[in-house]
Amino acid sequence: MENHETFKKENLNKLSKRLKEIRIAKGYHNYEQFAFQHNISRSQYGRYENGQDIRFSSLCRVLKALDITLEEFFEGFEDK
C-alpha cells in the first residue's frame, strides 16, 4: 500500500496534467494569459499546473473559468 505522501503527490501530478490539458484544449496556450483573463493569480495558477497543492475552493474557481464541471474534470482521471 502506498504511503500518504506518495498517493498525494501522484494525484496532484494527475490533477496538474488534467488542468493543463483542459486549458490548452480550451484555446489558452499560455497559462499566464488564462489566469490574467480570469482574475486568478498567475503565480498561484502556475503552481497548480506544476503539481502543488490546491484547495477545493480554488479548484472550483479554476474549473468555472474553464467552463467545465467537476464531473467532466474527473472523468477519466484515473487514466492520467
Side-chain angles (χ1 to χ4, degrees), residues 1-42:
M1 181 172 176
E2 298 177 275
N3 69 34
H4 175 72
E5 285 304 312
T6 301
F7 178 81
K8 179 180 170 182
K9 184 175 181 171
E10 287 177 359
N11 282 287
L12 282 172
N13 284 333
K14 287 180 187 179
L15 190 140
S16 68
K17 287 177 185 176
R18 185 79 170 127
L19 283 175
K20 184 175 183 177
E21 172 185 278
I22 293 169
R23 173 183 53 79
I24 291 170
K26 295 282 184 169
Y28 298 98
H29 298 288
N30 182 309
Y31 84 87
E32 291 179 323
Q33 191 62 31
F34 166 76
F36 179 76
Q37 286 181 4
H38 295 283
N39 201 28
I40 299 169
S41 165
R42 288 177 284 173

Side-chain angles (χ1 to χ4, degrees), residues 19-71:
L19 283 175
K20 184 175 183 177
E21 172 185 278
I22 293 169
R23 173 183 53 79
I24 291 170
K26 295 282 184 169
Y28 298 98
H29 298 288
N30 182 309
Y31 84 87
E32 291 179 323
Q33 191 62 31
F34 166 76
F36 179 76
Q37 286 181 4
H38 295 283
N39 201 28
I40 299 169
S41 165
R42 288 177 284 173
S43 60
Q44 189 63 45
Y45 184 80
R47 287 191 286 270
Y48 300 155
E49 283 198 7
N50 283 318
Q52 292 193 14
D53 212 344
I54 182 172
R55 291 183 359 207
F56 182 73
S57 59
S58 298
L59 177 61
C60 290
R61 183 175 182 199
V62 169
L63 296 183
K64 183 173 179 158
L66 288 167
D67 192 32
I68 188 170
T69 66
L70 281 168
E71 292 83 4

